[in-house]
Amino acid sequence: MMKVERGEIFSRALTGRCPNCGQFGMFKNWFRLHKRCPNCGMELEKEESGFYFGTTSIGYVLSIILVIIPVCILVVKDMLSMWVGVGIGIAGSIMLCTLLYPLMLSWVIMLYYVVQADELPINASEQ
Ligand SMILES: [Zn+2]
């Protein structure tokens, strides 16, 4: 029996809270996590390179879908000039990745711990 079910992990991490204790405070700043949760002490460091890599990958994919493809369509339809399109594409991708970074990082953490719910310290201690 798991103390924290997958649905609970999902809703906690999706809103930027610690999947283990449900408290806010995992984020050290916009782009980085604390090494450990300041509330429950869960290690975030162990997987952090994987979390950041996953977040960057999601950022690329979202940029392509939400920025690059629409800009390309506008350029092809002659609604934007080539170089304005390139400028919007670059600036838009950077803005999107920057603004959504903490949100995407939360999604990656959410996915990781929903898949491996029994790795949460609070669940592992039950075994
Ligand atoms: Zn915690």
Side-chain angles (χ1 to χ4, degrees):
M1 225 1 232
M2 287 192 290
K3 278 187 186 169
V4 181
E5 296 294 337
R6 288 188 163 82
E8 182 67 26
I9 296 171
F10 183 87
S11 61
R12 282 177 177 179
L14 203 64
T15 47
R17 291 175 294 160
C18 172
N20 194 53
C21 65
Q23 299 293 308
F24 287 103
M26 279 195 304
F27 285 88
K28 187 163 74 183
N29 58 44
W30 196 256
F31 297 104
R32 284 291 175 263
L33 296 167
H34 283 294
K35 293 196 186 310
R36 288 168 174 279
C37 170
N39 293 297
C40 66
M42 179 176 80
E43 253 189 276
L44 299 162
E45 194 176 27
K46 194 173 56 170
E47 295 296 337
E48 80 180 339
S49 57
F51 289 155
Y52 296 138
F53 179 76
T55 303
T56 310
S57 309
I58 294 176
Y60 286 140
V61 173
L62 280 183
S63 298
I64 290 169
I65 295 171
L66 298 176
V67 180
I68 308 291
I69 291 175
V71 165
C72 285
I73 292 171
L74 292 178
V75 170
V76 167
K77 291 194 167 185
D78 273 333
M79 294 168 78
L80 276 181
S81 78
M82 173 78 181
W83 291 109
V84 172
V86 170
I88 292 176
I90 293 171
S93 302
I94 293 171
M95 265 178 53
L96 181 134
C97 288
T98 305
L99 290 176
L100 294 186
Y101 197 90
L103 188 63
M104 297 187 294
L105 188 53
S106 298
W107 294 347
V108 172
I109 293 169
M110 181 268 285
L111 279 174
Y112 178 85
Y113 283 111
V114 164
V115 171
Q116 308 188 69
D118 47 4
E119 276 216 355
L120 274 186
I122 198 166
N123 288 334
S125 66
E126 277 292 273
Q127 289 157 6

